[in-house]
């Protein structure tokens, strides 16, 4: 096992989330010189680089188990000890289980740790035991349990209920829990998650203290309660629509979805499965056995290791290979350029891209069917104008039959050290699906301050017909989300305004007090959102007033359902919910102000 990074051994920093829960290149070719009487010869032709191989070993930080592997529990525990409190450490791990049955395991997951089965169906890989996330490292507070995932496993929990007490960037995908699921930490302390997709929970899901949650295209036995904002789309067994009391937003189906690509074994061969697009989806994709879609052999992927250059990654892409990013940290001196339709970039174990010198980390052309999934982009200390671009400016092609998907792609500015980016994610291509992202300007960790990790804008959508399912965007200096494309839709939005604003003047937006968390552009004529929440906690200056959480043109086809704003413990206040509509938050009671329908 690699040594823990220095940062992994630091005590946890007690940031605002403690209080939130309480509130509820190539060189030139040589020139060949002739005699003095002759002109210089032409430069020698540059040799074409040797083709890169596809496939290969997954590297030391991908741990693969089968039922006969000795010492599985000890190995799991070893990884957990390293990663449990390494919130801004450099360790990255993927724990992969070959199809079969495993008994007596408790896989506790720390930071940057992913666990997954290697079957085509979750039921191909059964753990008689638990996959646990708890919050002992942080005194029972689960609001910083970020960056970990579970995927493609069946669980038979030891006591009948599995514990998954997480916050943002912790997806629970393609899981079958043959029992219940508890989303709160031991002792029912504070929690701030979360996301479930394509999963079946046979028993009850108990959020308890979870403040917000989004569940998509799944099946559940029942759902216990809600705190502020619980959203369901395409979920069999979901509670009925009842916002704001209880705060359930329920859509019978998800308009468009396409599940995340995943690694699996066909015999002894690794392949990547690409699920097909569904419309008006409801329930899991794997309920009748083999899911629908296509697959690619690993030989069609460049299997990248940390330390590889951006030039090599781009050579692989230009060569026609897909990318599999094995766990670790990748420094990029130039953007990854994805110019070929249907390219897959899949990360394992929270593979992390850091753009150096202010470059953009990833640029996607205006092409069909690109799939980006399972990696983290961490801003570098030199300001990047953008970190992730889906389509160039002015992109206008129709991708409705085969959209680009961005799934479990997370963006961070600051926290692991100073980072800056003017805009984190820009979506220019039409019909893009953003399916679970957390775009976060850090409010705690290293390199954090109003100007230290400056980041004005979180997500900017310019493309038409873009759908977001599970949009988490927090703490930007100005607008968190700006949406300029037509016919955009968002199902579930979670936001916190930047806590560290020094004073009212720092956030003043012309004559408006503060920048909206979610702004729809003035020229937009059609837009719709369901289950959107914004919270403020202006602890540096609690007298700051935020006029509203949401801003949009008043038009009949610009519609919102089930909006809320919350002032956490009276640290700052909202005057309205959307535009000039909705009651102000007041006092220190941390009670949401809601608008059920707008306009």
């Amino acid at each position: 096992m690699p040594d823990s990074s220095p940062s992994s051994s630091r005590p946890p920093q007690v940031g605002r989330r403690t209080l939130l829960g309480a509130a509820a290149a190539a060189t030139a070719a040589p020139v060949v010189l002739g005699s003095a009487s002759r002109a210089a010869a032409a430069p020698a032709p540059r040799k074409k680089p040797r083709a890169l191989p596809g496939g290969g070993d997954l590297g030391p930080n991908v741990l693969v188990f089968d039922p006969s592997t000795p010492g599985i529990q000890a190995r799991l525990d070893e990884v957990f000890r390293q990663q449990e409190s390494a919130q801004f450490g450099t360790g990255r791990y993927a724990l992969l289980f070959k199809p079969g049955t495993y008994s007596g395991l408790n896989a506790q997951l720390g930071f940057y740790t992913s666990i997954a089965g290697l079957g085509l169906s979750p039921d191909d890989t059964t753990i008689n035991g638990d996959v646990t996330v708890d919050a002992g490292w942080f005194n029972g507070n689960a609001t910083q349990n970020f960056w970990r995932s579970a995927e493609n496993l069946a669980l038979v929990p030891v006591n009948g209920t599995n514990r998954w007490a997480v916050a943002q960037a912790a997806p629970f995908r393609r899981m079958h829990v043959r029992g219940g699921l508890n989303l709160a930490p031991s002792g029912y302390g504070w929690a701030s998650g979360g996301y479930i997709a394509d999963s079946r929970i046979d028993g009850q899901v108990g959020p308890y203290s979870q403040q917000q949650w989004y569940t998509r295209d799944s099946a559940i036995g029942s759902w216990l309660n809600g705190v502020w904002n619980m959203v369901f789309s395409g979920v069999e067994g979901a509670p009925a629509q009842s916002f704001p009391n209880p705060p359930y937003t329920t859509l019978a189906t998800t308009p468009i979805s396409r599940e995340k690509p995943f690694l699996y074994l066909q015999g002894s061969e690794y392949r990547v499965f690409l699920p097909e697009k569904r419309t008006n989806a409801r329930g899991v994709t794997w309920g009748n056995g083999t899911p629908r879609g296509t697959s690619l052999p690993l030989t069609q992927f460049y299997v990248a290791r940390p330390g590889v250059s951006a030039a090599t990654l781009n050579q692989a892409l230009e060569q026609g290979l897909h990318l599999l990013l094995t766990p670790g940290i990748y420094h990029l001196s130039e953007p990854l350029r994805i110019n070929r339709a249907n390219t897959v970039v899949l990360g394992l174990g929270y593979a992390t891209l850091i753009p150096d010198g202010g470059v953009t980390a990833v640029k996607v052309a205006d092409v069909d069917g690109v799939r980006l999934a399972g990696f983290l982009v961490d801003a570098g200390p030199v300001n990047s104008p953008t970190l992730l671009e889906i389509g160039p400016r002015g992109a206008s092609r129709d991708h409705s039959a085969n959209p680009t998907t961005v799934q479990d792609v997370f963006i961070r500015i600051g926290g692991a050290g100073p980072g800056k980016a003017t805009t984190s994610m820009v979506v220019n291509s039409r019909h893009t699906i953003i399916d679970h992202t957390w775009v976060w300007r850090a409010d705690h960790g290293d390199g954090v301050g109003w100007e230290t990790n400056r980041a004005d804008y979180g997500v900017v959508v310019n493309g038409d017909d873009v759908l977001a399912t599970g949009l988490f965007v927090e703490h930007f200096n100005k607008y968190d989300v700006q949406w300029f494309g037509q016919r955009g839709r968002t199902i579930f939005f979670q936001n916190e305004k930047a806590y560290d604003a020094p004073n009212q003047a720092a956030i003043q937006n012309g004559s408006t007090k503060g920048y909206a968390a979610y702004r729809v552009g003035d020229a937009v004529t059609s837009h719709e959102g369901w289950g959107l929440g914004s919270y403020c906690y202006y602890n540096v200056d609690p007298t700051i007033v935020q006029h509203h959480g949401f801003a949009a043109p008043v038009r009949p086809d610009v519609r919102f359902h089930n909006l809320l704003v919350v002032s956490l413990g009276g640290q700052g206040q909202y005057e309205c919910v959307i535009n000039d509509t909705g009651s102000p938050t007041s006092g220190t009671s941390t009670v949401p102000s809601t608008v059920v329908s707008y306009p």
Side-chain angles (χ1 to χ4, degrees):
M1 294 279 289
D3 293 334
S4 298
S5 70
S7 62
S8 70
S9 60
R10 292 195 212 103
Q13 298 195 30
V14 180
R16 53 83 194 167
R17 288 182 176 269
T18 306
L19 299 170
L20 178 149
T27 58
V31 175
V32 179
L33 300 179
S35 66
S37 61
R38 296 169 57 196
R46 183 183 298 172
K47 291 184 178 180
K48 186 176 181 178
R50 180 178 298 175
L52 295 167
D57 185 79
L58 298 178
N61 286 7
V62 177
L63 310 183
V64 182
F65 305 106
D66 64 46
S68 66
T69 303
I72 297 176
Q73 186 65 57
R75 195 72 173 102
L76 297 175
D77 291 346
E78 186 181 6
V79 173
F80 179 63
R81 280 193 298 270
Q82 177 178 319
Q83 299 302 116
E84 180 183 11
S85 59
Q87 183 172 177
F88 298 111
T90 58
R92 304 287 188 273
Y93 288 93
L95 313 174
L96 305 183
F97 287 76
K98 295 181 180 181
T101 300
Y102 302 76
S103 296
L105 297 182
N106 180 17
Q108 300 182 82
L109 299 188
F111 287 96
Y112 314 107
T113 306
S114 297
I115 189 169
L118 287 170
L120 263 181
S121 165
D123 290 326
D124 293 341
T125 312
T126 298
I127 293 178
N128 292 308
D130 298 83
V131 171
T132 302
V133 178
D134 209 340
W137 75 279
F138 202 42
N139 301 315
N141 174 1
T143 61
Q144 293 185 23
N145 280 350
F146 313 137
W147 305 306
R148 64 201 75 197
S149 67
E151 184 173 0
N152 205 28
L153 291 166
L155 305 178
V156 184
V158 170
N159 69 354
T161 300
N162 189 77
R163 187 180 302 280
W164 186 255
V166 298
Q168 290 81 355
F172 198 80
R173 288 185 182 268
R174 295 177 53 77
M175 296 290 288
H176 185 187
V177 181
R178 299 177 191 160
L181 187 65
N182 183 341
L183 304 180
S186 300
Y188 302 97
W190 312 323
S192 179
Y195 176 92
I196 294 171
D198 200 24
S199 293
R200 182 182 298 277
I201 293 89
D202 294 345
Q204 185 177 74
V205 181
Y208 300 103
S209 54
Q210 279 288 353
Q211 296 154 349
Q212 64 277 318
W213 200 276
Y214 175 50
T215 307
R216 177 182 64 71
D217 299 351
S218 293
I220 62 175
S222 62
W223 190 274
L224 179 63
N225 71 298
V227 177
W228 292 336
N229 189 28
M230 302 285 156
V231 181
F232 310 83
S233 68
V235 178
E236 298 169 352
Q241 169 70 40
S242 60
F243 186 92
N245 188 26
Y248 299 149
T249 298
T250 302
L251 287 71
T253 62
T254 304
I256 305 167
S257 61
R258 190 175 68 190
E259 299 302 331
K260 175 179 171 285
F262 61 92
L263 189 69
Y264 75 104
L265 277 171
Q266 181 174 288
S268 61
E269 178 194 13
Y270 284 107
R271 299 181 69 90
V272 173
F273 193 83
L274 309 177
E276 70 174 17
K277 187 188 76 168
R278 298 199 290 170
T279 57
N280 298 318
R282 182 173 174 85
V284 300
T285 63
W286 47 270
N288 295 319
T290 304
R292 297 177 65 88
T294 59
S295 77
L296 299 170
L298 197 62
T299 53
Q300 291 186 22
F301 284 77
Y302 178 71
V303 178
R305 298 281 194 92
V308 68
S309 69
T312 298
L313 294 171
N314 279 325
Q315 179 190 340
L317 290 167
E318 291 165 8
Q319 194 177 302
L321 292 171
H322 307 278
L323 295 182
L324 185 74
L325 305 173
T326 65
I329 295 173
Y330 299 74
H331 282 267
L332 305 179
S333 60
E334 61 185 66
L336 299 187
R337 297 181 177 89
I338 302 169
N339 298 322
R340 179 172 49 89
N342 302 309
T343 298
V344 179
V345 179
L346 176 61
L348 301 178
Y350 287 81
T352 301
L353 308 178
I354 302 179
D356 293 331
V359 303
T360 297
V362 181
K363 292 187 175 186
V364 180
D366 192 17
V367 294
D368 274 355
V370 172
R371 305 184 194 223
L372 307 180
F375 57 88
L376 172 65
V377 178
D378 208 353
V382 178
N383 185 76
S384 294
T386 58
L387 293 172
L388 173 61
E389 294 180 9
I390 309 300
R393 180 182 295 274
S396 60
R397 295 178 180 175
D398 186 321
H399 303 297
S400 56
N402 186 13
T404 284
T405 47
V406 182
Q407 301 176 286
D408 302 347
V409 173
F410 308 116
I411 296 177
R412 179 174 67 191
I413 303 95
K420 294 185 178 183
T422 303
T423 303
S424 291
M425 183 189 300
V426 180
V427 181
N428 294 317
S429 289
R430 295 180 62 192
H431 304 103
T432 299
I433 301 172
I434 306 168
D435 176 46
H436 190 225
T437 189
W438 185 39
V439 181
W440 185 58
R441 176 183 168 264
D443 65 299
H444 64 274
D446 290 340
V448 170
W450 185 249
E451 296 295 342
T452 306
N453 63 327
R454 181 84 193 188
D456 283 352
Y457 310 109
V459 175
V460 176
V461 180
N462 297 315
D464 295 341
D465 308 290
V466 171
L467 171 66
T469 53
L471 184 62
F472 299 72
V473 188
E474 298 186 301
H475 304 156
F476 286 83
N477 295 74
K478 293 184 178 179
Y479 290 112
D480 298 278
V481 173
Q482 294 188 90
W483 207 298
F484 301 112
Q486 299 289 354
R487 298 173 300 279
R489 292 175 290 184
T490 296
I491 305 172
F492 183 90
F493 171 68
Q494 188 263 326
N495 166 261
E496 295 164 353
K497 294 302 301 174
Y499 293 164
D500 55 344
N503 49 49
Q504 186 76 45
I507 66 160
Q508 193 69 15
N509 182 14
S511 61
T512 304
K513 299 171 185 174
Y515 292 81
Y518 188 108
R519 173 200 177 199
V520 179
D522 294 342
V524 173
T525 58
S526 177
H527 187 91
E528 196 160 10
W530 297 263
L532 282 64
S534 177
Y535 320 145
C536 75
Y537 183 73
Y538 288 117
N539 63 316
V540 175
D541 181 357
T543 69
I544 290 176
V545 174
Q546 176 85 23
H547 181 62
H548 50 215
F550 304 90
V554 182
R555 294 195 173 96
D557 289 332
V558 178
R559 303 189 297 270
F560 290 89
H561 315 273
N562 307 340
L563 302 174
L564 70 146
V565 295
V566 181
S567 172
L568 303 175
Q571 306 290 298
Q573 301 292 336
Y574 290 94
E575 293 179 322
C576 305
V577 179
I578 181 169
N579 294 342
D580 301 320
T581 298
S583 300
T585 58
S586 59
T588 61
S589 57
T590 314
V591 174
S593 179
T594 62
V595 169
V596 173
S597 182
Y598 185 88

